[in-house]
Amino acid sequence: MTLYLYDTYARNLREFVPLSESQVGLYTCGPTVYDYAHIGNLRTYIFEDILRRTLEFNGYSVKHVMNITDVGHLVSDADEGEDKMEKGARRTGKTAWEIAEFYTQAFQDDLKRLNILEPHIWCRATDHIQEQIEFIQCIEAKGYSYKTSDGVYFDTTKLGDYGYLGRLDIEGLQAGVRIDLGEKRSPTDFALWKFSPSNQKRQMEWDSPWGVGFPGWHIECSAMSTKYLGKFFDIHCGGEDHITVHHTNEIAQTEACFGTRLANFWMHGYFLQLDEARMSKSSGEFLRLQVLIDRGYDPLVYRFFSLSAHYRAKLNFTWDGLDGAAISLARLRNQVYEWGAPSVVDEDFVEKFTAQVNDDLNMPRALAVAWDLARSTLPAATKKATILIFDRVFGLDLAKWQPSQEEIPDEILALAQQRQAARTEKRWADADALRLKITQAGYEIEDTPQGARIKSRKQVP
Ligand code: AMP
Ligand code: ZN
């Protein structure tokens, strides 16, 4: 079945045709390891995992590369301010190197807990300084760079279609410049190499043909993707914020050097919407995966929650929404468990499922197919075999799950799910009626600040 993916470059769905028969090259921009990832960041990695699983589901062998940004990402994306790593080092009293190591490990642990398949290649920016220097030399040799007193910059006016990916209004940007450009010639020009400040020794700095310093943030992805996947590969991804700056600049660098636009498809995950306080890495409210776990949620509940929206739609984070996901996942797990051993797969259902998945990774509709399967009159063993096929894409580990001591029957979970929906839609009377039904059946629903919990009521002698 044909796979359609939305390509941000074309602003259209395109049929996915691999560049080579043998392998699909996938590059996903990784984290800047100066702090934990927040659950918004993780939404993007879940989307990328679904993409990789979908490619594999379609029979492709994927080579997945993810970078670790451990140098060069400045506090402002406009090449201003301190390096996030050096700032993180100051905050914690550790070295920038220790910080990078610690948060890389924490990030990889988060991915495991979310059942995200590990990339085949991890690459750190600091392990590829030579490749980045050579890339800048290539850009320089082709005449696309200039030097200022604080670094080497990419001259974006030299590239006819600079900004096409983000559909940037270059003239508007030029006309609207109020900020001090410093020695930068154009507002969209960006740093390829920055010099260490003359009065200060940085923790992370290297010799280069231009002077001691460190690479700009964008060059690492051009250099490392080329090294591991070639000058033109299949798919490059990141979060939607990367469209206008980071990916635009990666394309500029690679185009200047090799004349290709780096990747055949550019795909972007939309943001999880959280209020500022919950996203701000310095605040106590800061929502990372461990906070959800500490509140009693299985990490896969967050994965399930992410599947409830299309990756190209914003998703609002609420505790109510997460509770809804917890209840639905519990229902699904219970049923799958009760279906027992798998037998033959139902091909019609697999076809329906594939149609949704291959329509630009439509997970909400793919989940709806899973619920249709559950409600169908097929034999349990067939349902089981079929859902396990679906789970290759969902990645919910449905084969492994087992009920714990206190098992909540499916009818009760169904009522709780309806009550959750009623609450979300503010149908309070319906919600109350459903609660009464749950209580009458001998279960208790407790609304804690962390959300709804169901328990069986203790028998009073
Ligand atoms: P960073 O560690 O800041 O480089 O970001 C890691 C990834 O998370 C990037 O692909 C960003 O585009 C993505 N990202 C940042 N904020 C959000 C958010 N609120 N929702 C989804 N993805 C995000
Ligand atoms: Zn990148």
Side-chain angles (χ1 to χ4, degrees), residues 28-45 48 69 73 84 107 217 237-242 247 269-274 279 281 302:
T28 54
C29 285
T32 308
V33 285
Y34 68 108
D35 204 332
Y36 294 105
H38 60 57
I39 58 172
N41 301 136
L42 294 173
R43 181 186 184 203
T44 292
Y45 299 107
E48 293 163 348
T69 299
H73 195 173
K84 290 187 178 188
F107 174 71
W217 170 35
C237 315
E240 58 171 324
D241 58 325
H242 284 350
H247 289 169
Y270 280 46
F271 269 18
L272 179 78
Q273 294 185 310
L274 288 161
M279 251 191 318
K281 300 204 166 178
Y302 181 66

Side-chain angles (χ1 to χ4, degrees), residues 27-30 67 69 217-218 220-221 236-237 242 246-247 250:
Y27 186 94
T28 54
C29 285
N67 66 302
T69 299
W217 170 35
H218 317 295
E220 65 177 85
C221 288
H236 193 315
C237 315
H242 284 350
H246 182 53
H247 289 169
E250 282 185 34

Side-chain angles (χ1 to χ4, degrees), residues 9 19 135 142 159 161 222 225-226 230-233 248-264 266:
Y9 199 87
L19 296 173
F135 212 106
K142 306 250 168 151
L159 209 60
D161 63 347
S222 285
S225 64
T226 305
K231 295 171 185 169
F232 189 59
F233 57 88
T248 288
N249 293 344
E250 282 185 34
I251 291 175
Q253 293 165 152
T254 300
E255 232 173 60
C257 209
F258 305 125
T260 70
R261 62 185 158 92
L262 196 59
N264 190 17
W266 286 88

Side-chain angles (χ1 to χ4, degrees), residues 245-385:
V245 180
H246 182 53
H247 289 169
T248 288
N249 293 344
E250 282 185 34
I251 291 175
Q253 293 165 152
T254 300
E255 232 173 60
C257 209
F258 305 125
T260 70
R261 62 185 158 92
L262 196 59
N264 190 17
F265 280 77
W266 286 88
M267 295 180 67
H268 297 93
Y270 280 46
F271 269 18
L272 179 78
Q273 294 185 310
L274 288 161
D275 46 68
E276 244 341 279
R278 283 158 164 189
M279 251 191 318
S280 152
K281 300 204 166 178
S282 55
S283 93
E285 264 279 79
F286 167 45
L287 278 187
R288 62 186 177 100
L289 191 60
Q290 187 60 44
V291 172
L292 271 47
I293 295 168
D294 291 345
R295 290 197 182 197
Y297 295 95
D298 178 328
L300 293 183
V301 166
Y302 181 66
R303 184 177 173 104
F304 190 89
F305 173 76
S306 300
L307 302 187
S308 69
H310 192 267
Y311 76 92
R312 279 192 299 114
K314 303 236 190 240
L315 173 60
N316 261 325
F317 178 79
T318 60
W319 292 107
D320 257 358
L322 197 63
D323 286 333
I327 293 167
S328 300
L329 180 59
R331 276 198 77 193
L332 187 62
R333 283 170 156 172
N334 267 326
Q335 299 194 21
V336 172
Y337 178 77
E338 279 164 13
W339 292 338
S343 62
V344 272
V345 170
D346 184 85
E347 290 303 335
D348 285 347
F349 262 104
V350 172
E351 201 171 306
K352 281 185 204 154
F353 174 79
T354 311
Q356 300 307 339
V357 169
N358 283 6
D359 181 12
D360 194 29
L361 323 177
N362 197 322
M363 288 304 112
R365 285 209 258 120
L367 277 174
V369 175
W371 291 118
D372 286 347
L373 170 74
R375 276 190 299 267
S376 73
T377 52
L378 290 171
T382 307
K383 290 183 183 179
K384 179 71 160 250

Side-chain angles (χ1 to χ4, degrees), residues 358-422:
N358 283 6
D359 181 12
D360 194 29
L361 323 177
N362 197 322
M363 288 304 112
R365 285 209 258 120
L367 277 174
V369 175
W371 291 118
D372 286 347
L373 170 74
R375 276 190 299 267
S376 73
T377 52
L378 290 171
T382 307
K383 290 183 183 179
K384 179 71 160 250
T386 311
I387 198 94
L388 295 183
I389 299 285
F390 295 3
D391 203 35
R392 288 192 204 154
V393 178
F394 292 145
L396 294 168
D397 245 349
L398 293 172
K400 275 200 209 143
W401 186 83
Q402 294 213 331
S404 58
Q405 328 73 308
E406 191 185 51
E407 200 185 326
I408 311 289
D410 191 55
E411 313 87 76
I412 304 297
L413 289 169
L415 290 172
Q417 198 176 31
Q418 291 163 27
R419 174 176 176 265
Q420 197 64 33

